[in-house]
Amino acid sequence: MTAESRYPAIHARSIRDPEGFWLEAARAIDWFEPPARAFDPALGVYGRWFPGGVTNVCHNAVDRHVAAGRGPQPAIYYDSPVAGAKRTVTYAELQTEVATLAGMLRSLGVEKGDRVVIYMPMIPEAVFAMLACARIGAIHSVVFGGFAAAELASRIDDAEPKVVLSASCGIEPSRIVQYKPLLDLALTMAKHKPQTCLIFQRPQAEAKLVPGRDIDWGRAREEALATGTVADCTPVEDTDPLYILYTSGTTGKPKGVVRDTGGYMVALRWSMEGLYGVEPGEVYWSASDIGWVVGHSYIIYAPLLTGCTTVLYEGKPVGTPDAGAFWRVIEEYKVAALFTAPTALRAIKKEDPDGLLMQHYDRSSLRTLFLAGERADPDTVEWAKARLGVPVVDHWWQTETGWAIAGNPVGLGALDIRVGSTGVPMPGYQVDILDEAGHPVAADRMGSIAIKLPLPHGCLPTLWRQDGRFRESYLAEFPGYYKTADAGFKDGEGQLFIMGRTDDIINVAGHRLSTGGMEEVLAAHQDVAECAVIGIHDELKGEVPCGFLVLKAGVNRSPAQIETEIVALVRERIGPVAAFRIAITVNRLPKTRSGKILRGTMKKIADAEPWHMPATIDDPASLDEIATALSARGLAKVSAA
Ligand code: COA
Ligand code: AMP
């Protein structure tokens, strides 16, 4: 580690004196009533951060900056190569838009604590929507546009929103994604019926509105502006939820991760300077989507809480129009820090292996490239480092944590982090590698990665209305710890290496998906007797799902036809984001004698990794059959142990 980094002292203090450390950090936030203490272990499931404090996220992200003279500064650079649109929104304009939309929501009966589902593409109105909810203390729940109607419906049923905010369409390079028919379908499927849907009409598609339920957003905004309808920032408790964000669990039922207010702000604000090394007034770009946690934390809340300008990019790393898109955005907006997923870099590397398009653009503003969301393969990291000439920092986190668990805190003085490591724990995090009995293992030994309780602030206090599921999923297996469900190891210097999941979650192009959820869809097909879905290695997306089907006896339709139906079914039930394209019919699945499907071994065969015949296997030939089936599709690179 570099001797001059302030990291070791700061991390040590955050653990030794969390009260002092975090109350000091909390001074970067405006409070209507400051919290008397940083942590109360007696509250909530494992304690709560900043109890008793009263604040408002929208005030901190918008109003106080305008009051401090940042009104004319751009808050958002919206850049959409797919819509052919660009727009700069200053902090003053942001305040007007957000206060107006908040007023509109109030007129629709939305009060503090009510839920609002946001199903929107990457347009400024989506940012206004989230901040408007925060302004009046409503709890937003954003649903990613690439999910299908059934996924949207299950989130609506769990969150029970009073209002849904949506738009007529999203724009993918290959097609216009009509959101409204998906929303209408979701609302026919959902048991819970929201009172109102506010629909933003985009010029690319006009949505048909349902009389009595749907309201035209643009027209309502005009009316609100004409009548001066606005809402001020509602004081909320630090422990009140700011949002619910659903993420994949081990079943098809997503988990509603709750994010609270005060602790989240303190964590994000600290991270902008401490971890990302970015100052107020600078331009920060997270090339993610508002539907993911990275979008919540680092497209919207952290940059705006810090008084930075955030880039809202509605496009892809390649094909909109080419692999130079990221470098064009960096030049155009003078981006100081870029945060993206390794898959985006792999896509660029594939199209422009020598980085020739980079040379067309002035990238001198860029100081650091941050990666997260999936394992960063060392080849891609080295490629980016060599061509961009800036440090490439991998950091590790989860929807549940809301901010990085580990990284290289460049703002404190960068550490010498080994390629392949996601760095060291951020302040407040104590990370241990545990064996099956829950005991810490020695350096360099693989195990389950767990975080000592209490989780630092910013992390989830619980799951929405499901304290029991929260305890059972995260806290039960290793008492005194939060189970990350990631496996890996720590080296002698405390640097963390994240090697994979211990559950059935896979990571497809930086998107977290449940193979268990996909298996539920496959099993629902009338001709399927048994199934297994595994994630297999993919050069571009990291992993892609691969489904194996055993057909019911007596089915006499062609397996190819059924496989095509299965692919369509996953797209229809989960959505295009699942990228489920491989379905393979086999005569049987490999199992242990007790009937457990050997998914791990199947994955190793598909990924050409060394594997051993499990001692408990029922019939060793069943694994050869899997290898043969994969080979027939050109997928398995080896066929035996
Ligand atoms: N709305 C509707 N559909 C969407 C969507 C959205 N917001 N986002 C993706 N999709 C669709 C895509 O159009 C594609 O559909 P298709 O099967 O008809 O082609 C499908 O979902 C899969 O999308 P994706 O996995 O994004 O693949 P891609 O081939 O379109 O693009 C990459 C590949 C690598 C360029 C892209 O995945 C990428 O930029 N990933 C970065 C992910 C990221 O930032 N994650 C956040 C963590 S930091
Ligand atoms: P999500 O909740 O969608 O952010 O996904 C979280 C999961 O993505 C983690 O549990 C890891 O499995 C994986 N992940 C995130 N960041 C990294 C990283 N830097 N390296 C390896 N895996 C990562």
Side-chain angles (χ1 to χ4, degrees):
M1 298 194 185
T2 35
E4 58 277 15
S5 176
R6 291 185 289 134
Y7 167 78
I10 285 192
H11 185 263
R13 177 165 178 230
S14 76
I15 303 300
R16 194 182 62 243
D17 174 25
E19 283 289 318
F21 183 82
W22 290 117
L23 284 176
E24 236 167 68
R27 289 198 205 124
I29 297 299
D30 270 7
W31 311 89
F32 299 124
E33 267 174 51
R37 58 191 297 195
F39 186 70
D40 186 341
L43 298 175
V45 178
Y46 62 86
R48 296 298 304 259
W49 287 92
F50 301 112
V54 178
T55 183
N56 181 282
V57 172
C58 184
H59 166 81
N60 275 285
V62 184
D63 297 61
R64 75 166 167 160
H65 298 313
V66 176
R70 281 192 198 279
Q73 180 195 310
I76 304 171
Y77 288 132
Y78 165 62
D79 188 298
S80 174
V82 288
K86 288 179 189 178
R87 178 177 171 192
T88 298
V89 182
T90 64
Y91 270 100
E93 288 162 347
L94 183 61
Q95 188 181 35
T96 304
E97 292 295 343
V98 171
T100 304
L101 182 54
M104 288 154 61
L105 288 174
R106 270 272 172 73
S107 327
L108 294 173
V110 178
E111 300 291 338
K112 183 173 166 220
D114 286 341
R115 274 80 56 213
V116 173
V117 160
I118 299 175
Y119 184 56
M120 293 189 70
M122 288 278 288
I123 55 177
E125 285 71 18
V127 183
F128 306 158
M130 292 163 77
L131 290 166
C133 290
R135 191 171 186 87
I136 56 174
I139 303 165
H140 61 68
S141 186
V142 181
V143 180
F144 178 62
F147 282 123
E151 293 285 323
L152 177 57
S154 73
R155 287 154 174 78
I156 287 173
D157 272 339
D158 198 68
E160 301 184 317
K162 204 174 243 182
V163 169
V164 174
L165 302 180
S166 189
S168 56
C169 67
I171 309 170
E172 285 294 290
S174 58
R175 64 191 191 285
I176 301 289
V177 183
Q178 305 269 357
Y179 276 25
K180 191 55 182 11
L182 289 169
L183 174 61
D184 288 343
L185 180 59
L187 290 177
T188 57
M189 294 168 141
K191 287 190 202 77
H192 173 82
K193 308 290 176 199
Q195 287 167 15
T196 311
C197 298
L198 195 58
I199 309 294
F200 186 80
Q201 300 280 15
R202 298 188 79 183
Q204 292 78 8
E206 175 91 11
K208 238 175 106 203
L209 303 186
V210 175
R213 188 197 71 194
D214 298 347
I215 294 180
D216 182 299
W217 182 316
R219 226 171 283 148
R221 174 180 170 275
E222 289 304 322
E223 280 168 25
L225 285 171
T227 54
T229 305
V230 290
D232 286 335
C233 294
T234 301
V236 299
E237 299 278 324
D238 282 348
T239 47
D240 282 340
L242 170 65
Y243 64 76
I244 306 165
L245 180 57
Y246 289 90
T247 190
S248 300
T250 48
T251 66
K253 192 169 164 28
K255 293 169 172 170
V257 167
V258 173
R259 191 80 60 216
D260 65 7
T261 296
Y264 185 51
M265 281 199 285
V266 175
L268 294 187
R269 184 65 189 86
W270 182 91
S271 73
M272 284 298 280
E273 286 173 62
L275 171 56
Y276 298 100
V278 172
E279 303 281 330
E282 292 196 301
V283 181
Y284 186 92
W285 178 23
S286 171
S288 178
D289 187 286
I290 53 148
W292 306 117
V293 66
V294 174
H296 281 62
S297 293
Y298 290 101
I299 295 175
I300 305 194
Y301 290 115
L304 296 179
L305 287 168
T306 307
C308 289
T309 305
T310 186
V311 179
L312 186 71
Y313 176 70
E314 188 185 26
K316 302 268 172 178
V318 295
T320 59
D322 57 28
F326 273 23
W327 324 127
R328 193 257 313 155
V329 171
I330 288 170
E331 173 184 282
E332 201 161 328
Y333 305 110
K334 301 197 172 22
V335 172
L338 168 62
F339 178 169
T340 190
T343 191
L345 285 188
R346 288 197 295 270
I348 295 171
K349 185 171 100 177
K350 189 168 163 228
E351 300 271 306
D352 183 21
D354 298 321
L356 298 178
L357 287 168
M358 271 179 209
Q359 312 312 327
H360 297 184
Y361 302 98
D362 175 4
R363 291 168 284 103
S364 55
S365 60
L366 186 72
R367 291 198 298 273
T368 327
L369 170 64
F370 293 90
L371 299 178
E374 56 172 331
R375 189 170 151 68
D377 52 292
D379 274 2
T380 303
V381 172
E382 294 294 1
W383 178 87
K385 231 195 240 176
R387 279 162 190 80
L388 285 169
V390 298
V392 177
V393 172
D394 186 12
H395 61 325
W396 168 56
W397 49 304
Q398 309 185 311
T399 304
E400 289 85 344
T401 65
W403 66 298
I405 306 164
N408 189 348
V410 298
L412 302 181
L415 304 170
D416 194 7
I417 299 290
R418 287 162 59 192
V419 174
S421 165
T422 58
V424 291
M426 287 299 100
Y429 286 102
Q430 285 179 279
V431 182
D432 279 333
I433 314 293
L434 305 180
D435 63 17
E436 278 175 11
H439 301 126
V441 300
D444 298 321
R445 294 278 305 277
M446 278 281 287
S448 293
I449 312 180
I451 303 169
K452 238 187 205 153
L453 293 175
L455 288 167
H457 47 69
C459 296
L460 81 172
T462 188
L463 294 173
W464 178 246
R465 290 179 173 162
Q466 286 198 308
D467 285 353
R469 189 176 180 199
F470 173 63
R471 282 197 190 91
E472 189 192 313
S473 308
Y474 300 101
L475 310 184
E477 190 167 341
F478 303 119
Y481 285 96
Y482 162 90
K483 177 178 82 169
T484 66
D486 279 317
F489 64 93
K490 211 165 31 167
D491 72 7
E493 290 195 334
Q495 298 192 15
L496 280 160
F497 293 75
I498 315 302
M499 306 311 288
R501 297 280 304 193
T502 58
D503 56 13
D504 68 357
I505 299 289
I506 59 171
N507 209 307
V508 180
H511 310 313
R512 169 170 160 180
L513 297 162
S514 159
T515 54
M518 291 185 216
E519 287 180 2
E520 285 173 23
V521 176
L522 268 54
H525 188 283
Q526 56 182 5
D527 295 336
V528 172
E530 263 194 305
C531 63
V533 177
I534 56 171
I536 63 174
H537 176 75
D538 180 81
E539 280 298 319
L540 179 65
K541 298 194 175 192
E543 274 183 311
V544 288
C546 171
F548 293 89
L549 327 167
V550 177
L551 301 184
K552 285 181 181 160
V555 170
N556 52 15
R557 296 191 313 128
S558 92
Q561 172 63 29
I562 295 167
E563 288 163 9
T564 306
E565 287 169 15
I566 290 284
V567 168
L569 199 62
V570 176
R571 192 176 173 94
E572 182 197 311
R573 298 268 172 90
I574 296 179
V577 68
F580 184 92
R581 296 209 171 88
I582 311 166
I584 305 176
T585 307
V586 290
N587 289 327
R588 58 181 172 163
L589 295 171
K591 291 184 187 165
T592 61
R593 282 190 285 276
S594 61
K596 198 166 165 272
I597 299 171
L598 291 162
R599 292 182 182 77
T601 316
M602 291 161 75
K603 177 175 169 53
K604 285 195 170 125
I605 293 174
D607 289 350
E609 280 178 19
W611 58 277
H612 299 289
M613 186 63 70
T616 54
I617 192 162
D618 187 32
D619 179 355
S622 59
L623 279 171
D624 291 336
E625 288 166 24
I626 293 295
T628 307
L630 284 163
S631 293
R633 300 287 175 99
L635 292 167
K637 290 123 203 150
V638 291
S639 61

